[in-house]
Amino acid sequence: MPGVDASAESIGSILLTRSEHDRLNRAELYYATPDMTALALAAAATPPTEPMTLRRLPSEAGMIVFGEPIGGYTEDVAAVFAGALAGNSVAPAVVTTPIVAVSWSVWSPQAVALDQGSVRWTFRGQGRTGTIPPDFRGVWLTFYSPRGIFSGLAPETEIATMPDGAVITAGAIDATRATHGPVLGWDNEMLLREGAAFGPAQPDTTELWSHVLYTAWQLMGHDGKNQWAEVEDVPRARAGQKRDRRQGITASGAVRIVRVHPGRRPSPKAAAEDAEASTGRREPQWSCRWPVRPYRRNTCMNPRAHGAGECEHEDRIVPGHIKGPEGKPLRTGSTVHLWDSQPAAEA
């Protein structure tokens, strides 16, 4: 813990790190298959129309890894190393960082208590600054990208030249980083206020990524004739569960695999054509998979009270036109997604 003269930023970073560690220890684990990821992206092309509601969360705390990136952003190497290699030569190269996982937990005044006191949180980002109200209630999201800044570049790509003439390559940097830390790294975070409306979002922002996550929650929550997803609990190995318990991880010993319901899946040919058009570092394409994208319909849940304004509305995802016979699997076989191909220069 920092001393009494520590800055508010250093204290806040430690508290956030502790809170992140705590919620990941109790987070339920989810994996959205590539077809489920593409479906969430297709439906999220328009923002959710219902206000953000905690009822949509599949668990109070969780982490989901997507089979394909839900977004990404590009940076120039010079910007990545700004100040870090002062006076050295930095080669021109643009890298694309994919967003492939999100963790969440409910944020409330009780969630930020410290030693029977309270913490006043401020936020900064998207050109805005302010203080989070003490009665704020909503969801705290953290977005993750794969470890390795330059994992999508050829290992021999020259990144910088040191004063002594030594050349630093992309492979050398990522090999060093690979020996430290987890497979996924923190990228960004945000808060969603309960009851707040979703609106249009700029590309490559946390707002847009949150639309995809919330849409995935919506799809997972539909049932009956409106069912879009099926969830399978896959138990983890006993050795892994024992290791978790020793480290204080209290979540269940299973990973929930989220797939598109068999009745909603397009043909393998359409999926293959879409995969061919995707870069592996950005959102997958779905021009073949969903020629007419799934769309939202704001549905009244109590029509009898609609006239009096006492009803409640929620989003329902309506199917678009899907190629291929119903019930056919999207893909066959097992695929490991490395997110290791940078987009072409003209992309």
Side-chain angles (χ1 to χ4, degrees), residues 11-259:
I11 294 175
S13 66
I14 289 178
L15 294 179
L16 280 176
T17 300
R18 288 184 176 181
S19 298
E20 178 78 7
H21 182 270
D22 175 66
R23 69 168 174 169
L24 289 178
N25 280 349
R26 54 190 176 84
E28 298 294 336
L29 302 179
Y30 300 83
Y31 172 72
T33 59
D35 59 319
M36 188 66 200
T37 304
L39 174 59
L41 282 161
T46 55
T49 60
E50 67 183 31
M52 206 293 291
T53 172
L54 297 178
R55 178 174 53 82
R56 289 296 191 184
L57 274 65
S59 58
E60 184 173 349
M63 182 173 187
I64 185 168
V65 176
F66 291 93
E68 300 280 1
I70 61 171
Y73 56 91
T74 59
E75 291 179 294
D76 188 86
V77 169
V80 174
F81 279 128
L85 296 174
N88 297 328
S89 169
V90 180
V94 175
V95 295
T96 300
T97 299
I99 301 301
V100 299
V102 191
S103 64
W104 69 85
S105 62
V106 174
W107 179 289
S108 65
Q110 294 76 22
V112 294
L114 178 65
D115 295 334
Q116 299 181 354
S118 61
V119 179
R120 186 174 66 179
W121 293 95
T122 60
F123 66 87
R124 182 185 300 117
Q126 305 295 325
R128 297 172 295 169
T129 59
T131 301
I132 300 173
D135 60 347
F136 184 100
R137 181 169 170 81
V139 183
W140 172 24
L141 305 178
T142 300
F143 301 93
Y144 300 87
S145 59
R147 179 181 58 196
I149 298 177
F150 303 111
S151 61
L153 297 176
E156 65 275 11
T157 303
E158 296 184 4
I159 299 300
T161 303
M162 303 300 288
D164 61 0
V167 174
I168 302 177
T169 64
I173 295 175
D174 284 337
T176 301
R177 291 171 58 88
T179 60
H180 303 87
V183 174
L184 296 176
W186 177 95
D187 188 272
N188 219 315
E189 57 192 314
M190 71 178 300
L191 287 175
L192 292 177
R193 178 191 283 274
E194 183 181 26
F198 293 93
Q202 294 297 316
D204 303 338
T205 61
T206 55
E207 283 84 0
L208 187 62
W209 306 334
S210 72
H211 290 182
V212 181
L213 176 67
Y214 193 82
T215 301
W217 290 344
Q218 291 177 315
L219 292 165
M220 292 164 62
H222 289 340
D223 54 15
K225 66 179 182 179
N226 298 309
Q227 184 176 355
W228 275 97
E230 60 179 11
V231 180
E232 176 188 2
D233 285 355
V234 178
R236 296 186 57 217
R238 289 186 178 181
Q241 294 184 47
K242 289 181 179 179
R243 184 172 59 251
D244 287 349
R245 287 193 291 268
R246 289 196 299 268
Q247 296 176 355
I249 298 175
T250 59
S252 67
V255 177
R256 295 178 177 174
I257 310 298
V258 186
R259 301 184 178 89

